[in-house]
Amino acid sequence: MEPSTPSGVTRDPGGGEANDARVVHLTIPAKAEYITLCRLALTGLARVRPFTEEVLADLKLALTEAASNSIRHAYGRDEEGHVQIAYELQPDRIAIEVVDDGEGFDPALEGETGGDLTEGGLGIAIIRSIADEFELASRPGVRGSRLRFVKVLA
Amino acid sequence: MNFDIKTEQLGDGAYVISLAGEVDLYTAPEFKQQLLEVIGQGGKQVVVDFSDTTFIDSTTLGVLVGGVKRLRSNDGQLSLVCSDRNITKIFEITGLDRVFTIYPSRDEALSKLGEAGSQPPA
């Protein structure tokens, strides 16, 4: 018999390796003051599946960048919205997906650090650098963005 | 709230801004305001002390870059104090370790204040 899981924790319904995954879902209002909750959830997950301190710091940084990106780009100043985060724990990796339903943006404009001193646009470059796998689906004029990254665990 | 900021004036145009806790999209605006205030008051040698900081992100980097641009146009300099590997790594990932001088201790940063050439070129 399948052991019961806490609210917000599901078994991934997908096939193959994903059968061994535990998925934790977190939905936050698209406001900067809630980003800290995304990091707190990672601290909690590190008790379920211990990470090295370095991996935990990397995950916190990449997730913060992803959530900040959604909050900055997806919703206008007065627009209410939410950001959904799925933490997918697999035996050898963690996949994190950040989804919003706001305005899309052009990923090409976000992924380069450029040669000059820039005050913005570093977030996606940081995630790319930290993650072992990275996907971003977002288009200007089309609502909704989905960012997913994977970190292989030692 | 897991964030605190303290600004000290050490002498003529020399300031230290100390950040404690987490600096992100929510808390970075307060840091930006303090940094711009210090520069507006004539700060030329500004040290940002991350000794008690537990987290920074690209928003924080953006504030620092904005500050160094303003200071350089005024013959000033911005240096950092940080010994936490998880934080210095962000500067390496983004290449900003070539822009900022990062000292492992506040004492070391303060001892270099005003020395010509302590700020590498952009």
Side-chain angles (χ1 to χ4, degrees):
Chain A
M1 185 178 163
E2 189 73 11
S4 63
T5 54
S7 175
V9 180
T10 58
R11 295 283 182 182
D12 192 297
E17 292 176 357
N19 274 338
D20 293 329
R22 287 167 184 262
V23 185
V24 175
H25 300 274
L26 173 67
T27 301
I28 59 168
K31 303 282 182 196
E33 56 264 44
Y34 294 98
I35 294 174
T36 189
L37 291 178
C38 306
R39 293 192 293 271
L40 279 172
L42 275 172
T43 303
L45 284 172
R47 296 174 63 179
V48 178
R49 183 6 175 140
F51 314 127
T52 63
E53 195 185 321
E54 185 184 2
V55 166
L56 182 58
D58 281 351
L59 291 170
K60 284 183 177 180
L61 177 59
L63 176 53
T64 297
E65 297 298 346
S68 299
N69 204 58
S70 277
I71 290 169
R72 270 200 305 257
H73 292 285
Y75 304 102
R77 192 172 288 273
D78 299 320
E79 199 177 350
E80 296 291 327
H82 290 88
V83 179
Q84 296 175 316
I85 300 111
Y87 306 79
E88 188 181 306
L89 273 173
Q90 297 179 24
D92 66 335
R93 62 190 57 209
I94 181 169
I96 296 180
E97 189 166 287
V98 178
V99 175
D100 64 66
D101 191 31
E103 295 286 331
F105 62 95
D106 186 352
L109 298 177
E110 291 293 317
E112 301 297 329
T113 55
D116 295 329
L117 274 177
T118 174
E119 292 176 50
L122 292 171
I124 299 296
I126 288 173
I127 304 171
R128 280 183 191 279
S129 168
I130 286 172
D132 294 301
E133 292 172 27
F134 173 83
E135 294 168 43
L136 173 57
S138 185
R139 280 189 295 162
V142 178
R143 289 198 78 85
S145 296
R146 177 182 162 276
L147 189 155
R148 179 183 168 91
F149 65 90
V150 173
K151 183 83 176 164
V152 174
L153 305 172
Chain B
M1 187 176 67
N2 186 23
F3 174 72
D4 193 30
I5 184 165
K6 189 171 70 174
T7 302
E8 299 160 75
Q9 183 170 9
L10 300 180
D12 192 21
Y15 291 82
V16 178
I17 299 176
S18 306
L19 296 160
E22 299 183 326
V23 193
D24 65 6
L25 187 63
Y26 183 50
T27 53
E30 201 175 332
F31 170 39
K32 182 176 183 177
Q33 188 188 339
Q34 288 276 312
L35 184 56
L36 294 182
E37 216 170 281
V38 158
I39 296 169
Q41 286 168 2
K44 291 228 173 168
Q45 315 284 333
V46 180
V47 175
V48 177
D49 187 348
F50 289 108
S51 298
D52 294 321
T53 307
T54 53
F55 179 85
I56 71 168
D57 68 355
S58 67
T59 322
T60 320
L61 299 181
V63 174
L64 290 171
V65 167
V68 84
K69 281 181 177 172
R70 284 172 177 81
L71 281 166
R72 284 183 183 177
S73 67
N74 205 21
D75 290 329
Q77 65 181 37
L78 180 66
S79 48
L80 312 178
V81 178
C82 180
S83 58
D84 183 339
R85 172 76 192 122
N86 290 327
I87 292 180
T88 55
K89 183 179 177 180
I90 303 171
F91 290 93
E92 289 164 19
I93 287 173
T94 54
L96 289 173
D97 57 334
R98 297 192 298 273
V99 173
F100 298 104
T101 308
I102 303 176
Y103 297 100
S105 73
R106 177 182 163 127
D107 284 348
E108 201 167 329
L110 297 185
S111 72
K112 302 284 185 185
L113 275 186
E115 277 187 18
S118 63
Q119 188 80 26

